């Protein structure tokens, strides 16, 4: 595996790879890799002739009181993990190269970026959209791979890609979970043993919503209540949001009648975790739904 540390070098590599008619797959990460990341790499490996993974802890998507400084970083460990799963190139630029002195240009997908995560973390999605656009311009991928755990982020990136006529195709991959249902996340490392046990409350809340849907419930408020009751019963957990939202706009729904998400943001101890359940009609026009945890 080749490690590239500068934007100029990465752009040169990307140009040469495209000139050879090779298909580039990009897996953007912030490091602290887990099996969710390696699942994205595996998908990219199956579909692309060159797989590039980026490791960059993006300061622009962290608020002033968030965990940018303590976010786990171990490039050596991440590089070994990526090499072991068949990544061709690791792109790991310095912050000063990505955001040089005087940087003042940002990308914002209006409307959807202000809801849910955007409401709780002002400016977060502006930082995400900006760095992803920069990665797309630098790496020039044909396909870019993202996990559905960050469903709102994936939707925003898709909107940006469409609106700006970018060449990359966004590939959304399933959530990867621990055996007890906890969605894999780099921030799970912050949890102590007691908090780790309590963190399964997110999955249990989503299962409760799924069970209500399977029983025929379509009222969004009833589904939200079922999720909140599960979370509020856990002493170490507190709800930021628990909502049923449109899969397209992430606006709240009154009733489940089209593709949507049950979305959660929960504070377990001092660690903020997110998760979701994707809900879609079993077939076009059907009143039956399938669920993807």
């Amino acid at each position: 595996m080749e490690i590239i540390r500068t934007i100029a070098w990465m752009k040169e590599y990307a140009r040469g790879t495209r000139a050879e008619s090779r298909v580039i797959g990009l897996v953007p990460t912030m490091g602290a890799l887990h099996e969710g990341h390696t699942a994205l790499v595996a998908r990219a490996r199956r579909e692309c002739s060159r797989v590039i993974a980026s490791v960059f802890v993006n300061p622009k998507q962290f608020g002033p009181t968030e965990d940018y400084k303590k976010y786990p970083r171990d490039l050596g460990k991440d590089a070994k993990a990526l090499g072991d799963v068949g990544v061709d190139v690791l792109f790991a630029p310095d912050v000063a190269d990505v955001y040089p002195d005087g940087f003042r240009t940002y990308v914002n997908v209006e409307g959807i970026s202000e809801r849910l995560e955007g409401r709780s973390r002002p400016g977060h999605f502006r930082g995400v959209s900006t760095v992803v656009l920069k990665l797309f311009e630098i790496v020039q991928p044909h396909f870019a791979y993202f996990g559905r755990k960050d469903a709102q982020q994936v939707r925003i990136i898709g909107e940006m890609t469409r609106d700006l006529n970018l060449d990359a195709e966004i590939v959304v991959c399933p959530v990867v979970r621990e055996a007890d249902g906890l969605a894999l996340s780099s921030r799970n490392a912050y949890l102590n043993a007691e908090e780790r046990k309590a963190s399964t409350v997110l999955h249990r809340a989503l299962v409760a919503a799924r069970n209500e849907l399977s029983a025929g419930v379509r009222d969004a408020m009833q589904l939200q209540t079922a999720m909140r009751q599960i979370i509020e019963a856990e002493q170490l957990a507190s709800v930021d949001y628990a909502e049923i939202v449109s899969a397209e706009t992430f606006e709240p729904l009154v009733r489940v009648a089209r593709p949507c998400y049950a979305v959660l943001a929960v504070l377990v101890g001092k660690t903020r975790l997110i998760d979701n359940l994707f809900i879609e009609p079993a077939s076009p026009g059907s009143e039956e739904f399938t669920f993807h945890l």
Side-chain angles (χ1 to χ4, degrees):
M1 182 183 70
E2 184 172 1
I3 299 176
I4 295 179
R5 299 301 305 267
T6 70
I7 289 174
W9 184 9
M10 186 69 254
K11 292 180 78 170
E12 183 66 24
Y13 180 94
R15 282 193 293 267
T17 302
R18 276 186 166 256
E20 295 171 356
S21 298
R22 304 222 180 236
V23 176
I24 299 175
L26 171 65
V27 180
T29 84
M30 292 207 303
L33 302 179
H34 50 66
E35 290 179 9
H37 297 110
T38 55
L40 299 180
V41 171
R43 174 77 178 270
R45 186 75 278 168
R46 292 194 299 271
E47 298 174 353
C48 304
S49 51
R50 287 289 183 271
V51 177
I52 299 172
S54 62
V55 172
F56 180 68
V57 183
N58 176 31
K60 302 297 185 182
Q61 68 189 67
F62 290 80
T65 62
E66 293 184 343
D67 58 339
Y68 174 68
K69 289 185 178 179
K70 73 171 184 176
Y71 195 86
R73 295 166 172 86
D74 190 336
L75 186 60
K77 182 178 179 181
D78 290 338
K80 183 179 186 308
L82 293 169
D84 288 347
V85 293
V87 167
D88 297 297
V89 173
L90 165 58
F91 177 45
D94 291 332
V95 171
D97 202 13
V98 177
Y99 300 114
D101 287 344
F103 183 89
R104 59 176 63 87
T105 303
Y106 294 89
V107 181
N108 188 56
V109 180
E110 295 182 354
I112 190 172
S113 292
E114 283 74 55
R115 300 178 187 126
L116 300 170
E117 285 298 285
R119 182 180 65 223
S120 297
R121 305 177 66 189
H124 170 68
F125 286 126
R126 185 182 79 154
V128 170
S129 299
T130 300
V131 78
V132 170
L133 177 60
K134 287 177 72 73
L135 287 171
F136 285 4
E137 287 296 307
I138 295 163
V139 177
Q140 291 293 304
H142 297 85
F143 300 94
Y145 295 82
F146 296 88
R148 202 183 63 238
K149 183 180 77 70
D150 299 298
Q152 188 179 5
Q153 171 179 288
V154 172
R155 181 61 184 162
I156 287 168
I157 291 168
E159 289 283 291
M160 178 190 73
T161 301
R162 184 201 67 182
D163 291 351
L164 299 182
N165 305 113
L166 304 179
D167 290 337
E169 180 176 330
I170 307 304
V171 182
V172 184
C173 301
V175 181
V176 179
R177 300 181 179 278
E178 300 279 6
D180 60 5
L182 178 64
L184 294 182
S185 168
S186 300
R187 288 188 169 93
N188 292 350
Y190 297 158
L191 302 168
N192 63 34
E194 189 176 10
E195 291 165 348
R196 173 61 184 81
K197 183 177 179 181
S199 67
T200 61
V201 72
L202 283 85
H203 183 253
R204 288 186 275 120
L206 294 173
V207 169
R210 184 187 65 187
N211 291 343
E212 291 285 293
L213 285 157
S214 297
V217 174
R218 297 292 180 264
D219 180 77
M221 187 60 67
Q222 188 171 339
L223 296 170
Q224 289 169 193
T225 298
M227 292 191 293
R228 282 183 171 274
Q229 286 177 340
I230 297 291
I231 298 165
E232 289 168 356
E234 171 53 62
Q235 188 175 9
L236 294 179
S238 58
V239 181
D240 180 354
Y241 58 76
E243 298 187 28
I244 307 297
V245 298
S246 162
E248 181 176 356
T249 66
F250 279 73
E251 292 179 306
L253 296 180
V254 174
R255 181 175 176 79
V256 173
R258 52 194 168 96
C260 61
Y261 284 97
V263 289
L264 296 176
V266 177
L267 201 66
V268 180
K270 295 182 178 180
T271 303
R272 190 173 182 279
L273 303 175
I274 62 172
D275 204 345
N276 67 76
L277 168 70
F278 181 46
I279 305 157
E280 63 177 345
S283 59
S286 173
E287 294 186 3
E288 298 297 319
F289 287 82
T290 57
F291 317 112
H292 306 275
L293 264 173

